[in-house]
């Protein structure tokens, strides 16, 4: 049985833990044996007893836990242990596995240290942002919390209401909020600020975020220079000098108008870009608030001090580096769930072992060290358009699709069209006149259905299900009309089959549609 160890986080002010009693039960159900360091869950109000009830073994000796476990699950990258005086990488047994946030582009020495231990290491921050990997996307889970918490922190320091009001003493204007960056954190901040009644504006160099921002009720700000900011993995890329100048001019104008600025701009592997200058801060109204979610990477505001709150000429600049940790219980549960999903992906049920599949885009993206060999960065491959299709097959599939499409359009054999027309003509002569109208409707339905369904992209098949419910409703009525009698013939048999098939389609369609709608319900 594979042994999974969860040590207590030693990073200063870190309250999260890599597993909660709920995720421990899920790991146990998968067949893992789980060990937890004593008092690991104190900051999320989970006692050692709660972990024991979930099936975990509680270790009082942290060294014993690290040497016992085959796989160590952590939140923060390994660092110097303050009580033991040794590095956590040295606590990992030789050849052991580690899954945690690593940030390999910023921690190259740590990679070398872990490689010297012959370790296999997965960086949860390296999970590619593709549809199939959503359940393992720990960065998005934490960013969602950070965006929400940023608005709450801003509200606690802002001296007015977020929403506008009409009172006996006069009218109160709603707060104006500018969100810079419309990624997961930015969209979460937009939604939270809008729910509090604020007027929200947002800017992002990626044009794909425009509709997302507007769907949340915010105004999407644009500049005159058209340049696409979409980078690798859904992140923003570095922009041209002309774009940056226009961007800074926009921020300078907005700083004089808005009350709260929330910045989320980050480029992987590089310091946070400086977007809010000292002059912009000084141009803001007294009582304004800036929340810098990029503080841990140096901050988007020139006056941000990581981990601190700074006040300059009446403007409060919040530079907390532990936003998710300020909601530690929820953050631990979400992060623990992504770790469980990662172990599910790695676990081979047939052999009962953990396996590294280099052909799996998700696993290869997260793998940074394998058996002592540094494997970061992963090879750049285009994302798979459909789950289950290996990345290396995409060029061949694309080429095949192009050939098929070309052949379909250019090489339709007219002989087949003549034969089909002849068959339909013969059926029209032979068929009784009472059945001919039904047959005509059937042929037209087949043709129209083929044109409607066959040319729809697979990604739209699920939404199309709700439309087919109405069509099936018509079919079931027609089938029921054919059953109005006691004669047992071909007509009643076909009518019964139509009713049965349409009923299945209606029931399944509504179930799928209801599940889709549930994703958007609060």
């Amino acid at each position: 049985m594979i042994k999974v160890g969860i040590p207590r986080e030693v990073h200063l002010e870190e309250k999260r833990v890599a597993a909660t009693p709920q995720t421990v039960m899920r790991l146990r159900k998968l067949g893992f044996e789980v060990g937890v360091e004593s008092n690991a869950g104190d900051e999320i109000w989970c006692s050692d007893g709660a972990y024991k009830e979930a099936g975990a073994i509680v270790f009082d000796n942290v060294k014993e836990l690290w040497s016992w476990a085959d796989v160590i699950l952590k939140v923060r990258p390994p660092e110097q242990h303050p009580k033991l005086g040794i590095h956590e990488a040295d606590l990992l047994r030789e050849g052991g596995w580690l899954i945690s946030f690593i940030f390999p582009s910023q921690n190259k020495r740590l990679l070398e240290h872990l490689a010297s231990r012959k370790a296999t290491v997965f960086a949860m921050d390296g999970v590619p942002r593709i549809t199939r990997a959503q359940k393992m996307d720990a960065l998005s889970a934490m960013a969602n919390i950070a965006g929400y918490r940023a608005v709450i922190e801003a509200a606690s320091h802002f001296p007015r209401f977020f929403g506008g009001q009409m009172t006996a003493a006069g009218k109160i204007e709603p707060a104006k909020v500018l969100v810079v960056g419309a990624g997961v954190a930015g969209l979460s901040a937009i939604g939270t600020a809008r729910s509090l009644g604020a007027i929200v504006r947002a800017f992002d160099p990626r044009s794909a975020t425009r509709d997302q921002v507007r769907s949340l009720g915010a105004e999407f700000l644009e500049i005159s220079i058209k340049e696409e900011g979409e980078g690798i993995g859904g992140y923003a890329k570095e922009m041209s000098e002309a774009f940056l100048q226009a961007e800074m001019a926009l921020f300078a104008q907005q700083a004089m108008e808005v009350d709260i600025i929330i910045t989320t701009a980050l480029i992987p592997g590089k310091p946070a870009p400086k977007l809010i200058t000292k002059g912009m801060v000084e141009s803001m109204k007294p009582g304004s608030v800036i929340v810098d979610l990029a503080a841990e990477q140096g901050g988007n505001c020139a006056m941000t001090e990581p981990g601190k709150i700074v006040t300059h000429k009446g403007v409060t600049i919040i530079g907390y580096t532990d936003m998710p940790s300020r909601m530690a219980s929820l953050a631990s549960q979400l992060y623990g769930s992504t770790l469980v999903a990662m172990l599910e992906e790695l676990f081979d049920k047939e052999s009962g072992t953990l396996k590294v599949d280099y052909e799996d885009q998700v696993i290869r993206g997260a793998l940074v060290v394998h058996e002592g060999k540094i494997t970061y960065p992963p090879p750049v491959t285009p994302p798979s358009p459909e789950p289950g299709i290996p990345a290396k097959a995409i060029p061949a599939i694309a080429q095949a699709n192009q050939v098929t499409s070309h052949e379909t359009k250019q090489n339709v054999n007219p002989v087949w069209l003549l034969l089909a027309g002849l068959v339909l003509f013969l059926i029209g002569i032979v068929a009784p006149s009472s059945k001919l109208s039904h047959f005509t409707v059937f042929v037209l339905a087949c043709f129209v259905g083929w044109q409607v369904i066959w040319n729809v992209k697979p990604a739209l098949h699920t939404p199309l299900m709700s439309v087919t419910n109405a069509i099936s409703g018509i079919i079931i009525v027609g089938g029921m009309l054919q059953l109005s009698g006691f004669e047992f013939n071909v007509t009643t048999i076909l009518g019964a089959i139509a009713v049965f098939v349409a009923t299945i389609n209606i029931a399944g369609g509504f179930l799928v549609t209801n599940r889709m709608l549930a994703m958007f319900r609060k």
Side-chain angles (χ1 to χ4, degrees):
M1 184 178 288
I2 299 172
K3 301 170 183 176
V4 176
I6 293 94
R8 183 171 184 170
E9 295 298 317
V10 299
H11 187 82
L12 186 65
E13 306 248 330
E14 180 56 71
K15 299 177 181 179
R16 292 172 292 178
V17 63
T20 63
Q22 291 84 354
T23 60
V24 167
M25 287 190 287
R26 290 175 60 187
L27 289 170
R28 293 282 298 154
K29 191 175 181 179
L30 289 171
F32 295 104
E33 191 171 359
V34 183
V36 180
E37 183 183 348
S38 180
N39 302 319
D42 284 357
E43 297 291 348
I44 61 169
W45 309 297
C46 288
S47 64
D48 290 347
Y51 282 106
K52 287 180 180 178
E53 289 181 10
I57 303 169
V58 176
F59 287 80
D60 293 321
N61 189 320
V62 61
K63 286 185 177 180
E64 185 181 348
L65 172 67
W66 281 79
S67 60
W68 169 84
D70 301 308
V71 183
I72 292 290
L73 304 182
K74 274 181 53 61
V75 179
R76 293 276 184 168
E79 57 185 85
Q80 192 75 10
H81 199 291
K83 293 183 179 179
L84 300 180
I86 59 177
H87 200 281
E88 287 183 304
D90 293 320
L91 291 174
L92 183 68
R93 75 184 192 186
E94 190 163 327
W97 286 41
L98 171 68
I99 306 177
S100 73
F101 284 125
I102 297 294
F103 306 109
S105 61
Q106 303 155 36
N107 293 312
K108 293 183 180 179
R109 287 189 178 181
L110 175 60
L111 291 185
E112 295 171 357
H113 196 164
L114 291 166
S116 68
R117 302 289 298 168
K118 308 296 182 185
T120 295
V121 183
F122 291 88
M124 292 304 291
D125 49 283
V127 173
R129 287 182 163 176
I130 58 176
T131 303
R132 188 169 67 84
Q134 283 183 347
K135 62 181 179 179
M136 293 168 272
D137 193 350
L139 279 180
S140 291
M142 297 301 102
N144 187 22
I145 295 174
Y148 171 86
R149 186 70 187 192
V151 176
I152 301 303
E153 293 291 343
S156 69
H157 289 85
F158 186 58
R160 297 202 338 257
F161 294 142
F162 260 53
Q165 291 188 18
M166 288 295 295
T167 71
K171 182 180 179 181
I172 300 174
E173 295 290 337
K176 295 184 178 69
V177 179
L178 171 65
V179 178
V180 180
V184 176
L187 292 173
S188 177
I190 291 168
T192 306
R194 283 288 300 145
S195 67
L196 291 174
I199 297 172
V200 184
R201 305 165 183 173
F203 175 81
D204 195 289
R206 297 165 293 185
S207 60
T209 63
R210 182 188 296 108
D211 291 338
Q212 295 171 334
V213 168
R214 290 174 177 170
S215 69
L216 291 172
E219 178 188 356
F220 187 80
L221 302 176
E222 299 185 68
I223 57 178
S224 57
I225 297 177
K226 302 298 180 183
E227 184 177 342
E228 185 52 58
E230 188 75 35
I232 296 174
Y235 295 95
K237 67 177 183 180
E238 289 186 278
M239 309 302 290
S240 67
E241 187 63 32
F243 186 95
L244 292 176
Q245 289 178 3
E247 181 183 66
M248 296 298 281
L250 174 66
F251 295 155
Q253 177 190 352
Q254 291 296 317
M256 293 184 285
E257 299 178 12
V258 301
D259 304 297
I260 295 167
I261 298 178
I262 298 174
T263 64
T264 70
L266 280 173
I267 298 174
K270 297 186 178 181
K274 299 299 180 186
L275 304 176
I276 308 299
T277 64
K278 181 179 179 181
M280 294 180 196
V281 174
E282 293 177 348
S283 71
M284 296 181 74
K285 293 169 284 197
S288 298
V289 180
I290 297 174
V291 183
D292 195 339
L293 291 180
E296 195 166 9
Q297 302 302 321
N300 295 136
C301 177
M303 303 197 69
T304 296
E305 293 187 22
K308 298 180 181 180
I309 295 178
V310 178
T311 302
H312 180 75
K313 293 189 176 181
V315 178
T316 302
I317 301 125
I318 301 173
Y320 291 149
T321 59
D322 59 345
M323 285 294 188
S325 189
R326 289 173 179 268
M327 302 181 70
S329 181
L330 174 62
S332 298
Q333 179 61 37
L334 295 180
Y335 180 68
S337 295
T338 64
L339 291 175
V340 173
M342 175 62 77
L343 285 171
E344 283 179 327
E345 196 79 7
L346 292 167
F347 186 61
D348 183 7
K349 294 182 179 178
E350 294 182 1
S351 63
T353 60
L354 297 176
K355 287 189 175 181
V356 177
D357 182 4
Y358 271 75
E359 300 300 321
D360 189 315
Q361 186 181 358
V362 177
I363 298 303
R364 184 62 188 92
L367 184 67
V368 293
V369 180
H370 186 212
E371 296 178 348
K373 180 182 177 182
I374 296 176
T375 58
Y376 177 82
V380 178
T381 55
S384 174
E386 298 292 337
I389 300 177
K392 65 180 183 180
I394 294 174
I397 293 173
Q399 184 178 3
N401 287 341
Q402 289 177 356
V403 172
T404 303
S405 176
H406 178 76
E407 290 178 351
T408 301
K409 293 179 180 179
Q410 302 295 332
N411 299 329
V412 177
N413 195 334
V415 176
W416 289 108
L417 294 176
L418 291 173
L419 287 175
L422 180 61
V423 170
L424 292 176
F425 177 74
L426 292 175
I427 292 175
I429 294 175
V430 176
S433 58
S434 61
K435 305 295 182 183
L436 190 58
S437 60
H438 296 297
F439 180 73
T440 304
V441 173
F442 172 74
V443 172
L444 289 174
C446 291
F447 178 75
V448 173
W450 180 80
Q451 289 293 329
V452 171
I453 306 299
W454 190 266
N455 293 320
V456 173
K457 293 182 179 180
L460 298 178
H461 282 172
T462 303
L464 192 65
M465 188 70 74
S466 60
V467 179
T468 62
N469 287 331
I471 300 173
S472 298
I474 299 171
I475 294 171
I476 200 170
V477 171
M480 292 171 68
L481 290 174
Q482 299 302 322
L483 297 176
S484 59
F486 298 98
E487 295 183 9
F488 186 76
N489 51 34
V490 176
T491 302
T492 56
I493 292 173
L494 292 176
I497 293 173
V499 170
F500 176 69
V501 174
T503 302
I504 294 174
N505 199 31
I506 290 173
F510 278 121
L511 285 172
V512 172
T513 305
N514 186 60
R515 186 173 180 181
M516 290 177 58
L517 293 174
M519 297 170 61
F520 300 95
R521 295 193 188 108
K522 292 185 178 180

